Amino acid sequence: MTETVTKKPPLAGIRVIELARVLAGPWAGQMLADLGADVIKVENPDGGDDTRQWGPPFVEGADGENLSAAYYHAANRGKRSVTADLKSAEGQDLVRRLVSTADVVIENFKLGGLVKYGLDYDSLRKVNPKLVYCSITGFGQNGPYASLAGYDYIVQGMSGFMSITGEPGGQPMKAGVAIADIFTGIYAVAAIEAALIHALKSGEGQLVDMALLDVQSAVLANQNMNYLVSGEAPTRLGNAHPNISPYEVVPTADGYLILAVGNDGQFRRLCTILGLETIASDERFATNKARVGNRGEVRRLVSTETLKWQKADLLKACEENAVPSGAINTIEEMFAHPQVQARGLRIDLADAAGTVIPGVRTPVVLSETPLRYIRPSPRLGEHQAEILAELAEREKGIVVKKASS
């Protein structure tokens, strides 16, 4: 065993109580678990996280047991599960006991949804003043939409993302995965870690206010700036890029590939490959600015020539001449790709019963404090007895300490 493997992950010793379900909150919790935190997922005893039922496909145990939908396993690796009915005094008390031992709470109830249970930030900070309390909602803690439920699909539309996604003149399109939820989960991890650093330095916790609409709007990046600088709202360009040309999908004799020509030198080399040397110095195409202004003609000229090539041959020629290009893989082809396999993106974890459950690691590699992958997603309430015993032992120790003092 190497020294690196024996080192503790960066968040070892941090405890997170996850009062979240579906995707954004659990995605944040899973990433924190991979980084070494002890993440305790608190679920409704009546079915647990909604995504446990969001199938098919479902993960099947060795004995044929339904171990929840694949969707659930995408966002809950590495956690421990307990159940608590938040509507009951007993369930609320269990959460408060857990919070007294924790550093972080993650919740994604509607605005004010936990106040009636006494599990909102203002209530729980009295239990634990150092608590970092991350609240994930559709629209944040203030504003005219704050009280409304927020869904990823709707936020993709409201944020402007769908207005720039899809073919010109066609339907606005959503992304193939719930990117508002996933980006919010990732941003939440960054915010939680910043708040933890503050808490460890000052002893002061705080509320982390995460909103799907904030995040999805913010990540429009250059398209936001294109609008703010020009005053013109970007439109759908299909697979083309608003600021670079040719930077799009092109046809070949046996399929499609991506050309990502980011500068004039790359364009000249592409022209050489395609036998278009004469246009490389043409003032209509010699610079990226000119090519963007004449993108339709660039597309016509380039596509006419790429259609004469086999996909594999053109990809090889581009690679050999330092012209950025790429295949359009299926997910199956992605997992089979030698680079993806070399990076160990797929992981397989066995549960307590020996069922091996596949997954995808968090795409972070740390040289000195490696992430940990110790358990797959838990069964509903799997760790109830274990965690209750830990709480009882801790509370017993507190009583003994007070008595001795």
Side-chain angles (χ1 to χ4, degrees):
M1 183 176 291
T2 65
E3 181 184 1
T4 300
V5 172
T6 64
K7 291 183 177 178
K8 290 183 179 180
L11 295 185
I14 297 297
R15 173 167 284 185
V16 179
I17 308 304
E18 183 186 296
L19 303 175
R21 65 273 191 218
V22 186
L23 191 51
W27 195 266
Q30 177 172 266
M31 189 169 177
L32 292 169
D34 288 347
L35 287 164
D38 176 20
V39 179
I40 298 175
K41 185 177 183 71
V42 180
E43 300 186 74
N44 186 325
D46 184 19
D49 191 310
D50 296 348
T51 62
R52 287 183 180 274
Q53 288 76 46
W54 284 12
F58 293 91
V59 174
E60 187 175 292
D63 58 357
E65 179 187 1
N66 182 339
L67 299 184
S68 298
Y71 195 121
Y72 165 78
H73 289 277
N76 290 286
R77 174 183 60 244
K79 304 172 187 178
R80 298 193 288 169
S81 172
V82 299
T83 62
D85 180 1
L86 301 189
K87 296 178 182 178
S88 71
E90 182 182 9
Q92 295 161 18
D93 181 63
L94 174 57
V95 172
R96 291 190 192 95
R97 291 168 67 197
L98 289 169
V99 167
S100 71
T101 73
D103 303 282
V104 179
V105 165
I106 302 173
E107 62 90 5
N108 63 350
F109 285 73
K110 286 177 63 176
L111 180 69
L114 290 175
V115 173
K116 58 189 174 184
Y117 305 135
L119 301 177
D120 56 300
Y121 173 60
D122 286 335
S123 298
L124 292 183
R125 69 191 297 193
K126 296 173 184 176
V127 175
N128 184 347
K130 292 178 63 176
L131 186 66
V132 173
Y133 188 104
C134 179
S135 179
I136 299 175
T137 60
F139 303 106
Q141 300 295 302
N142 64 295
Y145 275 53
S147 63
L148 301 182
Y151 298 93
D152 175 278
Y153 199 166
I154 293 171
V155 166
Q156 287 193 41
M158 291 180 66
S159 67
F161 172 80
M162 289 176 63
S163 76
I164 57 172
T165 306
E167 290 297 325
Q171 274 195 354
M173 298 294 290
K174 70 176 183 65
V177 293
I179 57 172
D181 277 331
I182 291 170
F183 272 123
T184 301
I186 295 168
Y187 271 97
V189 169
I192 287 167
E193 290 176 332
L196 274 173
I197 292 171
H198 173 74
L200 291 171
K201 288 181 176 180
S202 68
E204 178 185 51
Q206 61 184 298
L207 174 66
V208 176
D209 175 8
M210 300 298 307
L212 269 66
L213 183 60
D214 289 358
V215 171
Q216 186 58 63
S217 299
V219 299
L220 299 191
N222 59 298
Q223 292 284 42
N224 280 339
M225 290 303 297
N226 289 343
Y227 165 71
L228 292 173
V229 171
S230 71
E232 297 179 8
T235 57
R236 295 187 294 284
L237 295 173
N239 286 312
H241 194 289
N243 304 109
I244 314 171
S245 176
Y247 202 98
E248 56 195 284
V249 172
V250 297
T252 69
D254 61 341
Y256 294 90
L257 58 78
I258 298 166
L259 287 178
V261 178
N263 60 51
D264 299 338
Q266 292 171 0
F267 181 68
R268 288 192 293 271
R269 294 194 294 276
L270 174 66
C271 288
T272 299
I273 293 169
L274 298 179
L276 293 171
E277 292 91 344
T278 57
I279 76 166
S281 57
D282 188 314
E283 64 179 12
R284 295 173 299 165
F285 313 118
T287 65
N288 180 68
K289 180 180 179 180
R291 291 193 295 278
V292 170
N294 294 284
R295 69 167 71 249
E297 185 65 4
V298 173
R299 181 181 297 115
R300 185 187 70 81
L301 290 167
V302 169
S303 295
T304 297
E305 297 305 316
T306 60
L307 273 168
K308 300 174 183 178
W309 287 73
Q310 295 294 309
K311 180 169 58 176
D313 293 338
L314 183 52
L315 284 169
K316 182 179 180 182
C318 287
E319 182 177 342
E320 291 173 346
N321 288 276
V323 175
S325 63
I328 302 172
N329 291 328
T330 65
I331 292 178
E332 180 181 18
E333 290 169 333
M334 175 273 288
F335 277 116
H337 194 283
Q339 181 62 25
V340 173
Q341 292 189 347
R343 295 290 291 175
L345 199 65
R346 172 175 173 160
I347 54 177
D348 294 289
L349 299 172
D351 69 5
T355 299
V356 176
I357 301 174
V360 180
R361 70 169 176 83
T362 289
V364 172
V365 178
L366 300 176
S367 65
E368 301 304 317
T369 53
L371 280 64
R372 66 173 188 181
Y373 304 100
I374 59 173
R375 61 169 70 93
S377 306
R379 290 169 166 81
L380 181 61
E382 179 179 347
H383 303 94
Q384 196 88 10
E386 174 182 303
I387 290 170
L388 288 175
E390 290 175 4
L391 283 174
E393 189 67 24
R394 175 184 180 275
E395 289 160 355
K396 179 181 176 183
I398 291 173
V399 170
V400 171
K401 184 176 179 181
K402 286 183 177 179
S404 64
S405 62

